[in-house]
Amino acid sequence: RQCILQGSVSEASPLIERATVLCGVPTRFKYHERAFHHPQATKTGGAVVFRVRNNGETCQILHLGSLNPSETIPRRTVTAADISSNYAELMAALNFKFQFEHVREGLSFSTQGMELTISQIYRLPQPGDQASRELLDPAFLVELTAFAPQTHVQAVFKDLEGFAIQLQPHVQLLREPPKRV
């Protein structure tokens, strides 16, 4: 299970400086993600969405479970596997339809089994054309995540909250995704 805290900031520099002190030098990342859905599953009420993430070197197929709002700790099941670059053919053969794509670019910090990402998301109005990318929101998305077995979710989430306190006042990380205005 993936435990997650999220927030956003309009200015990333102070947060990056604080995170560098706490975690060390960050890693830059750029993911091109495409989402595919199965139309038959949507008709039966169970939306099945897979994302394919390409970082320029490798491709992964991901199934991100939904965050359950009734749970006291926000967590989701994440299933990931490496996949070849001809994933579009595979998805078409399985009757999955292209839904949307975006590029996520930013910095990743790792410490004590946790990952802190500070990134911006760009939409691609012309599918496949990264030159057409447009910034989705000027704010930076901030996510603090960690994976935990079912038996250790409480302890891992407590660690996340403890680390999140060290990032204040630069960002307030919440159990729920930030609301869009």
Side-chain angles (χ1 to χ4, degrees):
R1 298 247 181 215
Q2 182 187 48
C3 299
I4 185 168
L5 294 174
Q6 294 180 316
S8 65
V9 293
S10 57
E11 174 55 45
S13 297
L15 178 59
I16 292 169
E17 288 175 21
R18 179 68 180 144
T20 301
V21 168
L22 294 170
C23 306
V25 178
T27 303
R28 290 196 172 279
F29 70 88
K30 180 179 177 181
Y31 297 127
H32 179 196
E33 289 189 350
R34 292 181 150 193
F36 296 86
H37 75 281
H38 198 282
Q40 199 62 29
T42 305
K43 291 177 186 174
T44 61
V48 177
V49 177
F50 284 93
R51 291 189 182 193
V52 175
R53 178 180 289 170
N54 183 341
N55 68 5
E57 296 175 17
T58 60
C59 290
Q60 274 193 325
I61 189 164
L62 302 132
H63 180 263
L64 305 177
S66 299
L67 291 172
N68 185 344
S70 66
E71 292 180 341
T72 57
I73 295 176
R75 61 182 184 239
R76 64 182 172 199
T77 302
V78 177
T79 307
D82 290 340
I83 191 170
S84 68
S85 59
N86 66 348
Y87 59 84
E89 295 170 22
L90 171 67
M91 299 311 278
L94 295 173
N95 201 30
F96 278 80
K97 306 295 181 206
F98 172 77
Q99 191 173 16
F100 66 87
E101 68 183 319
H102 65 262
V103 172
R104 184 173 171 195
E105 198 170 333
L107 298 173
S108 174
F109 298 86
S110 296
T111 184
Q112 303 168 21
M114 295 177 268
E115 181 181 31
L116 173 70
T117 59
I118 304 167
S119 61
Q120 288 188 301
I121 300 174
Y122 300 85
R123 69 183 200 94
L124 298 179
Q126 298 172 13
D129 182 10
Q130 290 198 35
S132 73
R133 74 185 202 171
E134 299 172 354
L135 188 59
L136 190 62
D137 188 324
F140 290 82
L141 173 64
V142 181
E143 292 182 316
L144 181 60
T145 59
F147 286 96
Q150 186 67 33
T151 56
H152 292 86
V153 169
Q154 294 281 353
V156 168
F157 198 76
K158 187 175 179 180
D159 290 344
L160 283 179
E161 289 182 318
F163 188 79
I165 288 170
Q166 296 180 62
L167 299 173
Q168 294 176 359
H170 307 297
V171 66
Q172 180 73 34
L173 296 176
L174 306 171
R175 290 178 176 227
E176 299 173 3
K179 304 278 190 271
R180 287 218 112 115
V181 180

